[in-house]
Amino acid sequence: MLTWRQRIKSYKLQRTFAQHLRSYSETPPPLKKILFSRDYTNYTGGHQKVRDYIGHFAAHPNFDVSLYLNNTSSVMPDLFENIDGVTYQASYSPEGFDYVFLAGMDWRRYLPLQSNNAEQKRDAPVVINLIQHVRHGDPKHPLHAFMKQKALRLCVSMAVKDAVEPYANGPCRYIRMGHNIPVIPSSKTYDLYILANKRPAWGKEIADWAKGEGLNFLLHHRLMPKDEVLKAMANADISVCLPNPTEGFYLPGIEAMNLSNKVVVPDCIANREYNQGFSNLIVSASCTEGVIEAIQTQRLRRFGPLNYLRKLRANKIVKTYSLANERAQLYSVLQELSTHEPLV
């Protein structure tokens, strides 16, 4: 039987222990430090996606984000400037970071700084490698050489994952592409909009055909600010977007599906992902004749119940490619990384 003094002492000890336990449980874990790197020479969809991922990590409560930036872009020069929650490095130094985030040729800056010392290698940051193109899986392409480097690879489409996984040193995860497409008032002043910044000669060829047909068209055959491209899509009945022969996703396809009445995009492998049938998109053959045939098919599809349903279906497909969904998938992968380390 405890005396009343012993009971009071026991109660105080239990209360103190509970307070310490509560204090410990309420103390957040130390922030994980991650470093990004960008040579930003001109706006591209690839740069935009890296910017999105910087935003995802900056919004995560467990990450402290830093960025080394070399900015010489004249188009959308502020893309990587003054990002909330990001510390900027004057010179690139991954020492002391838990993670480094690499995309494209970022490896060329990172690898020369890595030590051959075994102990230092154990303390090296975990590499998160964003893969945005199927060409990483092409042994003839310079990017393929980096596949042998150990990393967790985040792939923007299943086509990309399928292309790189056989060669990757480390796990590959598919994270569905996310994008924010603004609401733009639409007047549909153009019969046809041709986005040909990646294929200017091909765009001019299609424009010559459109001129001969008497169509009211707009051609962009060089790099344009993103807001002008989206405005042109919103003002066009039909948008024709010309990708490279192969792409990792080709974002203009879903932007046009959302903003234009009808869309034509030649096959570039990765755009098959959002070509899900009965929508306002036609994925044409990758030749002038195939594109023109698809345009003519779209011109015959006058506005009516069927086209209205196609547009509804397109909007539904586009909504699955949201930044919120992309962020949620990334956070799930990061949770996996934290609970099952070493994942890579």
Side-chain angles (χ1 to χ4, degrees):
M1 177 78 64
L2 294 175
T3 67
W4 65 272
R5 290 181 183 275
Q6 290 173 324
R7 289 178 182 177
I8 291 175
K9 187 176 181 180
S10 175
Y11 169 74
K12 287 181 177 180
L13 286 172
Q14 290 179 41
R15 186 176 63 178
T16 301
F17 176 76
Q19 288 172 340
H20 280 298
L21 185 62
R22 185 165 58 250
S23 174
Y24 176 79
S25 65
E26 291 173 356
T27 301
L31 296 179
K32 296 288 188 178
K33 297 176 64 179
I34 185 167
L35 176 62
F36 287 77
S37 169
R38 277 289 87 186
D39 281 315
Y40 183 41
T41 56
N42 254 324
Y43 180 85
T44 64
H47 283 303
Q48 178 65 63
K49 186 44 53 190
V50 173
R51 172 62 181 84
D52 292 338
Y53 270 84
I54 292 174
H56 295 330
F57 277 94
H60 197 291
N62 296 339
F63 279 87
D64 180 16
V65 181
S66 294
L67 168 64
Y68 168 76
L69 175 63
N70 177 29
N71 183 2
T72 58
S73 179
S74 59
V75 178
M76 298 182 66
D78 297 331
L79 183 65
F80 290 99
E81 300 288 352
N82 302 314
I83 304 173
D84 288 341
V86 173
T87 302
Y88 288 81
Q89 278 195 346
S91 59
Y92 185 71
S93 177
E95 185 178 352
F97 282 83
D98 301 292
Y99 302 94
V100 293
F101 189 99
L102 305 178
M105 301 301 285
D106 290 346
W107 286 99
R108 292 187 301 184
R109 175 173 284 116
Y110 174 71
L111 288 176
L113 301 177
Q114 296 313 293
S115 171
N116 291 322
N117 180 281
E119 184 175 341
Q120 290 179 335
K121 275 189 173 182
R122 283 195 298 270
D123 295 332
V126 173
V127 176
I128 299 176
N129 187 196
L130 180 65
I131 308 291
Q132 303 193 65
H133 205 291
V134 295
R135 63 192 173 200
H136 290 254
D138 180 0
K140 297 178 182 178
H141 197 279
L143 287 167
H144 184 78
F146 303 123
M147 287 291 102
K148 65 185 178 183
Q149 301 295 331
K150 195 172 185 180
L152 166 64
R153 290 179 168 85
L154 307 180
C155 304
V156 301
S157 68
M158 281 303 299
V160 167
K161 184 174 183 287
D162 291 342
V164 304
E165 197 163 30
Y167 306 101
N169 180 4
C172 297
R173 296 290 185 269
Y174 163 51
I175 294 185
R176 194 176 184 87
M177 172 73 80
H179 191 52
N180 180 32
I181 304 175
V183 177
I184 300 175
S186 133
S187 59
K188 299 297 181 280
T189 52
Y190 299 108
D191 299 317
L192 186 67
Y193 169 57
I194 306 166
L195 178 62
N197 60 301
K198 292 188 173 183
R199 309 291 291 276
W202 196 8
K204 290 176 182 177
E205 188 177 348
I206 295 169
D208 288 341
W209 169 83
K211 185 176 180 180
E213 291 289 305
L215 298 180
N216 182 20
F217 69 91
L218 174 63
L219 168 67
H220 283 160
H221 62 281
R222 58 175 62 92
L223 188 64
M224 301 293 293
K226 192 65 176 180
D227 58 344
E228 291 189 34
V229 171
L230 298 178
K231 183 179 178 181
M233 289 177 175
N235 286 331
D237 179 41
I238 302 172
S239 280
V240 175
C241 306
L242 302 178
N244 288 318
T246 61
E247 295 276 358
F249 182 77
Y250 198 58
L251 188 58
I254 65 165
E255 291 172 331
M257 288 171 68
N258 185 254
L259 296 170
S260 299
N261 287 336
K262 291 161 279 188
V263 185
V264 175
V265 182
D267 182 31
C268 60
I269 299 178
N271 61 345
R272 299 171 191 174
E273 180 176 305
Y274 51 83
N275 182 31
Q276 299 176 18
F278 196 75
S279 76
N280 63 349
L281 169 68
I282 293 179
V283 172
S284 73
S286 296
C287 60
T288 302
E289 294 77 12
V291 171
I292 290 174
E293 181 181 347
I295 294 171
Q296 290 172 327
T297 298
Q298 293 286 42
R299 290 179 67 196
L300 292 172
R301 292 177 174 175
R302 304 297 180 186
F303 189 79
L306 207 55
N307 265 355
Y308 177 74
L309 291 174
R310 286 192 177 100
K311 180 66 173 174
L312 283 180
R313 168 69 171 155
N315 290 343
K316 185 176 180 180
I317 293 170
V318 169
K319 285 180 180 178
T320 67
Y321 294 96
S322 70
L323 281 176
N325 184 43
E326 181 180 78
R327 180 171 293 185
Q329 290 181 78
L330 171 64
Y331 287 4
S332 178
V333 172
L334 295 177
Q335 179 64 26
E336 181 186 3
L337 189 61
S338 67
T339 55
H340 298 286
E341 288 191 87
L343 185 61
V344 295

